[in-house]
Amino acid sequence: DAGITQSPRHKVTETGTPVTLRCHQTENHRYMYWYRQDPGHGLRLIHYSYGVKDTDKGEVSDGYSVSRSKTEDFLLTLESATSSQTSVYFCAISVIGSPAGNLGYTFGSGTRLTVV
Amino acid sequence: SQKIEQNSEALNIQEGKTATLTCNYTNYSPAYLQWYRQDPGRGPVFLLLIRENEKEKRKERLKVTFDTTLKQSLFHITASQPADSATYLCAPDNYGQNFVFGPGTRLSVLP
């Protein structure tokens, strides 16, 4: 996905360990988002950022923290991973916040995280 | 609480026919609604946005309608092709804060 990169693409970790997922953009967009996608639940917003060091909670923020020290990077940290956090995590960017005009969100390719 | 429903988990249609996908929402009144396409193992891709004061919007073979009275959006793909097979997500905006995604409909276009 042009302009947005997620790393790692796949990760297996043990319960109780901290995990950090990275989202990197080259579009200089102000807004960045972290979603998780699970069968039966669809995409759910974890946290989002509307600028450097400006973040806010989404629908399912418990157990997650985020940081944005540079425009281009948005980090998602699972402080102590649990099996319920096994999921596919997507980062998204947008030019402006909602309403997003005619451009919508641009999503990364996702990180598949398995907590064993 | 807000609820977003998409007509069915899966929809099979014959190539060349028009596919119609439904998105219903309850307990709020979004000002905007987006549609996305998602292929297996990939992130969603933005297709169209429609505003509450727009009844219909078109892009090539795609048409979206937005009925704020019925609290429903319809997504049509005309002259469907096997390459249109994917999961389609609707996303009404959440009181102007961000977009909330529906569970998706998996469309299969059969040759």
Side-chain angles (χ1 to χ4, degrees), chain B residues 77-96:
Chain B
I77 305 175
T78 58
S80 60
Q81 305 165 1
D84 295 324
S85 298
T87 296
Y88 291 86
L89 310 171
C90 71
D93 83 296
N94 178 26
Y95 301 108

Side-chain angles (χ1 to χ4, degrees), chain B residues 34-89:
Chain B
Q34 299 183 346
W35 283 90
Y36 287 78
R37 168 185 173 138
Q38 186 174 23
D39 292 288
R42 306 294 300 272
V45 175
F46 172 72
L47 296 174
L48 282 168
L49 176 145
I50 187 167
R51 295 173 171 78
E52 62 178 339
N53 61 349
E54 297 175 315
K55 297 301 181 185
E56 179 181 300
K57 200 154 191 179
R58 293 174 184 262
K59 179 182 177 182
E60 298 173 350
R61 294 185 294 110
L62 308 180
K63 185 179 84 171
V64 172
T65 62
F66 193 9
D67 189 325
T68 56
T69 300
L70 293 178
K71 293 187 179 293
Q72 179 181 82
S73 175
L74 299 180
F75 178 82
H76 307 273
I77 305 175
T78 58
S80 60
Q81 305 165 1
D84 295 324
S85 298
T87 296
Y88 291 86
L89 310 171

Side-chain angles (χ1 to χ4, degrees), chain A:
Chain A
D1 298 281
I4 179 170
T5 307
Q6 291 185 234
S7 59
R9 289 297 312 275
H10 302 272
K11 185 171 182 66
V12 179
T13 192
E14 292 186 349
T15 299
T17 60
V19 177
T20 295
L21 308 182
R22 181 181 184 234
C23 179
H24 178 78
Q25 62 148 329
T26 58
E27 306 295 322
N28 201 35
H29 287 349
R30 178 181 175 189
Y31 290 82
M32 299 185 76
Y33 310 82
W34 276 108
Y35 285 87
R36 62 177 288 176
Q37 188 172 37
D38 305 285
H41 290 280
L43 281 160
R44 292 180 292 173
L45 182 66
I46 305 171
H47 283 279
Y48 66 100
S49 170
Y50 44 94
V52 173
K53 297 186 179 178
D54 290 324
T55 65
D56 207 347
K57 296 179 180 180
E59 177 190 358
V60 290
S61 60
D62 287 348
Y64 302 95
S65 63
V66 290
S67 66
R68 192 169 179 199
S69 58
K70 298 184 290 184
T71 298
E72 57 266 35
D73 290 323
F74 192 32
L75 304 180
L76 176 71
T77 298
L78 289 65
E79 303 291 346
S80 177
T82 67
S83 58
S84 65
Q85 294 177 311
T86 292
S87 185
V88 180
Y89 291 85
F90 287 102
C91 177
I93 60 176
S94 70
V95 174
I96 58 175
S98 177
N102 286 318
L103 301 177
Y105 290 178
T106 300
F107 281 84
S109 297
T111 294
R112 183 173 295 276
L113 176 68
T114 303
V115 183
V116 298

